[in-house]
Amino acid sequence: MKVEAGGMALVDKYCQDYGSRARELKGQGRKIIGGLCAYVPVEIITAAGFVPFRIKGSVSEPITRADVEMETIVCPLVRSCFDLAVKGRYEFLDGLVIPHACDSICRTYDVWKYTLGLPYSHFINMPHSDNDTSLEFYKTVLNTFRKSLGKFAGREISDDSLLQAIKQHNENRARVRQLAGLRRSDPPLISGEELARALIAIMSIPVEESISLLGDVIAEVKPRASATGVEKPRIMVVGAQLDDDTFIRLIEDSGAWVVADDLCPGTREFWPDADITADPIDGLAERYLQKIKCARTYREQKGTYPEYLEERFGHIGGFIRDFAVDGVILYIYKYCDPFGFEVPAVKSYIESLGTPVLYLEDEYSKSTIGRLRTRVQAFLELLGAK
Amino acid sequence: MTEYFAGVDIGSTMTKVVIMADAVVARVVGASGPEHRRLANRVMESALADAGLGFSDIAYVVATGYGRINVPFADRQITEISCHARGVASLVPAARTVIDIGGQDCKGIKLKDGRAVDFVMNDKCAAGTGRFLEVIAEALGLSLEEMGELSLQSQHDIEISNTCTVFAEQEVVAKLAEGVAVADLAVGVHKAIATRIHGMVRRLKVEREVVVTGGGALNTGLVRALETKLGLPLLVSPEPLLSGAIGAALLGKDTVRDAAEKGIPVTRSRQPLKEATFFS
């Protein structure tokens, strides 16, 4: 589609009415496959001719319907996603793919499947260790998904179409890296809030439209003159899935730039590409199981403890250096087991680099904003006083 | 000519204003209440009257505390973390750790060279705060001061196992029904809150001197219980209620001094002394 109003305007439109483009495409006969988390192998969905669509929650909407099927021990993000789904917000979905990303996602698969009752539902039994045995198992799992989705599509997913989809998604990721890289300058050419919105918008559209939208956004942002004289602390946000811009805006409104992240959607899922391999499943399996550094995957212990921490969190150190980060905000949802487990280790790793860390535990709700503001402002004052 | 600086600390329970030159020249403590947007200027007016000053005599006003954004006449807003750090560092220069027990929150601050370098705050519930003490004191039919004093007379060790304020209140009521002495329950309550605060501040690696401030510092029983938990002697801030406001005034003074050193003009809000409205 042609974009007249500029990339950011379209980004705003997609963020304001999340899913509006998928709804349109559905009207044109496309099939939409929803999924939770960055561990849905979107390349396979694209190769089948479907539109992969990331289900998101809403921090501004109280969870009212989901409480019947999901107790509060389930993480608030998953509950919010499900709440919107049972309220009919994602009525355009033809299918649902749930990966074993974390327990909150895995153990609610039955609830999703039987409550929504979509024509297609599939569970991806993703292993939790990054070793080679798990990798072999995971390749089988991906092939099972490929066959199952091919059956739903009424045609087998060929190697060629899969390779084509992998190349497209790699190109999409390269565009995100280019856009996110515009935060290296001081001040950054794109604010953390704008980037967050762009990344939320592209979760809801087909990959070919995402590539074109990101191209427009880059063309719009790149010529911006880097304003001078305004010195603000450069912040990196580390956390699980942050599919809302409220928290990023809070940090930037408090007098800082969010210049780097280890988030989804964010660098975690857009930095690693899938290699083009003879069997396309090999490259995909390596990308999802080994290259994406998410707390949900257990890394085999190697070497000394500092070496092990470097293996797990070295990429965070890389961003801190590359994007000249002054301070890190570790932002974790209550009841997020995988990220909760890692807090002491990731905190001590970042502090060992001499970078201050603010650890915040939050509830995936706008209601906590006042409390967060005091902590964020205090952290920025502390960085400014150095 | 003497330069005066004002610190306005709007806490969840109390609004505190100090006016300082080299030392504090006026201090006013009032209840915040739901109308704190309207009250900040009245508390300020009463402090000015005490000091015999007009608002134009004040060189800089810093607002802090949870209501800090509702002080339109302030030149700058600074969080209570930085203000408590600055206030306590000036009141007790040897301080390395600050524990502030407020009405609605509780925080630990690590100090280095008179500045905050790290902090922790309690999250989203009343456990470990003044509100917890108020609720339990009410259940025991005591004032806060009475509960603190009475706990020192206790003969037995009682455990209150719930940290949730509502459940702890139920537990206290049940123990009263069993015939447990009120003094012993008061000790149990102080131990419970001390455990909670200790669990939070130890993440900072507490170092001496440790200074307790905020309304909770006025409760001797609680300070004793916290000393036992931490295994360290505690110093009570000489100005438990005003540490934040004093810090705010001093940070205002620092701002004016830094600007003068750099030879740049001080940016002031230029808002008159009047109450905040919902539209300002």
Side-chain angles (χ1 to χ4, degrees):
Chain A
M1 67 186 280
K2 267 268 156 276
V3 182
E4 304 292 346
M8 280 314 292
L10 193 57
V11 161
D12 288 344
K13 181 176 168 248
Y14 289 159
C15 284
Q16 267 156 28
D17 189 4
Y18 189 76
S20 54
R21 182 61 188 148
R23 201 171 285 119
E24 272 171 30
L25 290 165
K26 166 95 171 176
Q28 295 164 20
R30 296 285 301 267
K31 281 203 161 66
I32 320 289
I33 304 291
L36 286 178
C37 176
Y39 281 105
V40 173
V42 284
E43 295 87 345
I44 297 178
I45 299 175
T46 299
F50 301 136
V51 178
F53 176 88
R54 180 91 68 94
I55 295 171
K56 83 172 207 73
S58 167
V59 295
S60 10
E61 196 164 324
I63 297 166
T64 49
R65 291 277 299 279
D67 283 343
V68 183
E69 288 90 358
M70 289 183 192
E71 285 291 324
T72 49
I73 192 171
V74 175
C75 99
L77 167 68
V78 173
R79 288 169 64 236
S80 176
C81 287
F82 181 70
D83 192 60
L84 297 187
V86 287
K87 285 172 180 167
R89 205 68 51 85
Y90 302 123
E91 86 296 339
F92 47 80
L93 294 180
D94 296 285
L96 177 73
V97 177
I98 299 263
H100 190 172
C102 63
D103 283 353
S104 279
I105 293 180
C106 162
R107 302 307 289 270
T108 57
Y109 173 58
D110 58 332
V111 180
W112 284 92
K113 181 176 170 175
Y114 294 114
T115 309
L116 299 187
L118 296 173
Y120 180 79
S121 296
H122 189 85
F123 175 70
I124 296 184
N125 190 9
M126 196 167 175
H128 274 81
S129 294
D130 69 338
N131 57 28
D132 291 340
T133 322
S134 298
L135 188 67
E136 285 313 306
F137 173 78
Y138 182 50
K139 286 175 188 171
T140 315
V141 167
L142 286 181
N143 273 315
T144 307
F145 174 49
R146 178 183 177 176
K147 272 196 204 103
S148 146
L149 195 67
K151 216 169 141 189
F152 181 62
R155 63 175 171 89
E156 223 172 78
I157 299 170
S158 69
D159 276 3
D160 274 354
S161 62
L162 195 48
L163 279 171
Q164 175 62 23
I166 290 171
K167 282 179 189 159
Q168 269 186 309
H169 282 278
N170 281 349
E171 190 188 345
N172 188 45
R173 290 187 275 259
R175 291 257 162 115
V176 172
R177 291 195 292 271
Q178 196 190 344
L179 184 63
L182 298 176
R183 299 183 293 179
R184 282 192 183 89
S185 61
D186 193 27
L189 294 182
I190 183 166
S191 71
E193 182 192 351
E194 287 174 313
L195 183 72
R197 291 176 72 76
L199 299 188
I200 291 164
I202 62 168
M203 303 196 306
S204 68
I205 58 177
V207 65
E208 63 277 8
E209 291 186 16
S210 172
I211 292 169
S212 131
L213 175 58
L214 288 167
D216 291 341
V217 172
I218 292 166
E220 191 177 328
V221 168
K222 221 177 164 181
R224 285 179 183 172
S226 190
T228 48
V230 199
E231 261 188 46
K232 291 181 182 178
R234 296 168 63 85
I235 300 296
M236 174 174 187
V237 181
V238 174
Q241 175 162 322
L242 188 56
D243 58 11
D244 187 277
D245 58 350
T246 309
F247 181 61
I248 304 288
R249 185 163 54 244
L250 165 71
I251 298 170
E252 295 193 327
D253 284 352
S254 303
W257 296 114
V258 174
V259 297
D261 68 84
D262 183 31
L263 289 170
C264 276
T267 66
R268 187 182 306 125
E269 65 175 297
F270 289 109
W271 245 245
D273 273 340
D275 288 341
I276 305 298
T277 44
D279 180 348
I281 290 293
D282 291 351
L284 275 186
E286 282 162 21
R287 172 182 132 77
Y288 284 97
L289 190 64
Q290 295 179 329
K291 288 191 188 174
I292 297 181
K293 293 283 177 75
C294 175
R296 59 77 61 197
T297 306
Y298 174 74
R299 307 278 150 196
E300 294 277 302
Q301 289 168 29
K302 291 168 195 147
T304 62
Y305 189 59
E307 283 165 0
Y308 181 48
L309 289 184
E310 187 62 34
E311 163 73 17
R312 282 161 72 188
F313 309 120
H315 59 291
I316 295 177
F319 286 124
I320 290 174
R321 286 182 291 270
D322 193 14
F323 287 78
V325 169
D326 297 312
V328 174
I329 298 180
L330 187 56
Y331 180 72
I332 310 292
Y333 302 128
K334 209 175 171 183
Y335 304 117
C336 175
D337 292 357
F339 282 87
F341 289 141
E342 287 210 332
V343 166
V346 74
K347 202 166 175 280
S348 73
Y349 170 77
I350 298 167
E351 283 170 349
S352 77
L353 306 174
T355 308
V357 181
L358 172 67
Y359 165 43
L360 296 173
E361 192 193 59
D362 199 22
E363 299 177 21
Y364 198 77
S365 162
K366 259 187 182 167
S367 64
T368 59
I369 205 98
R371 203 181 73 214
L372 293 178
R373 184 177 287 119
T374 296
R375 286 156 177 77
V376 168
Q377 284 177 356
F379 184 60
L380 298 180
E381 286 168 4
L382 199 136
L383 291 176
K386 270 184 178 264
Chain B
M1 200 187 96
T2 316
E3 273 194 312
Y4 294 97
F5 300 91
V8 183
D9 178 3
I10 305 192
S12 62
T13 315
M14 308 293 249
T15 291
K16 289 82 68 172
V17 172
V18 297
I19 297 174
M20 297 183 75
D22 286 329
V24 174
V25 297
R27 60 181 70 213
V28 176
V29 178
S32 295
E35 288 277 271
H36 70 256
R37 281 168 174 274
R38 295 171 187 282
L39 282 176
N41 69 312
R42 283 189 217 155
V43 180
M44 185 71 194
E45 275 164 6
S46 111
L48 286 169
D50 285 1
L53 297 168
F55 187 61
S56 56
D57 295 320
I58 308 293
Y60 206 76
V61 184
V62 171
T64 187
Y66 110 115
R68 64 185 178 282
I69 53 164
N70 295 323
V71 187
F73 58 85
D75 297 301
R76 194 177 162 194
Q77 281 82 27
I78 302 179
T79 65
E80 48 272 38
I81 310 288
S82 301
C83 290
H84 274 98
R86 183 70 178 89
V88 170
S90 93
L91 293 163
V92 188
R96 292 293 171 271
T97 311
V98 182
I99 299 174
D100 172 54
I101 307 166
Q104 190 174 269
D105 69 24
C106 168
K107 48 193 163 284
I109 308 168
K110 203 66 187 289
L111 298 182
K112 200 181 167 193
D113 304 324
R115 294 273 186 186
V117 288
D118 199 2
F119 67 94
V120 285
M121 281 176 97
N122 74 314
D123 279 309
K124 63 218 153 223
C125 91
T129 72
R131 186 66 197 139
F132 180 94
L133 284 176
E134 280 175 5
V135 167
I136 304 297
E138 196 175 314
L140 294 175
L142 299 169
S143 72
L144 276 180
E145 294 74 18
E146 286 169 343
M147 186 163 75
E149 289 299 318
L150 192 63
S151 73
L152 302 176
Q153 300 163 21
S154 156
Q155 306 290 319
H156 302 95
D157 219 9
I158 293 286
E159 293 286 341
I160 303 291
S161 49
N162 280 296
T163 46
C164 165
T165 307
V166 175
F167 291 159
E169 185 187 7
Q170 289 172 357
E171 193 177 344
V172 162
V173 171
K175 286 214 156 65
L176 275 177
E178 286 167 20
V180 175
V182 174
D184 295 343
L185 282 173
V187 169
V189 165
H190 292 143
K191 270 170 55 185
I193 191 170
T195 304
R196 176 85 185 185
I197 295 170
H198 173 239
M200 187 183 82
V201 298
R202 73 179 165 186
R203 279 186 258 156
L204 289 176
K205 299 183 184 74
V206 175
E207 279 180 291
R208 288 179 71 180
E209 297 295 333
V210 187
V211 177
V212 193
T213 184
L218 298 171
N219 182 326
T220 327
L222 173 58
V223 175
R224 291 273 170 83
L226 199 51
E227 271 183 331
T228 311
K229 269 284 159 201
L230 285 166
L232 291 172
L234 299 181
L235 302 176
V236 172
S237 165
E239 294 282 7
L241 295 180
L242 296 179
S243 303
I246 290 173
L250 289 172
L251 285 171
K253 199 173 174 178
D254 295 348
T255 306
V256 171
R257 187 203 55 210
D258 291 350
E261 278 175 8
K262 285 182 191 161
I264 51 171
V266 181
T267 332
R268 300 205 56 188
S269 86
R270 305 199 182 279
Q271 292 275 342
L273 182 58
K274 63 172 177 59
E275 64 192 35
T277 68
F278 285 94
F279 308 105
S280 65

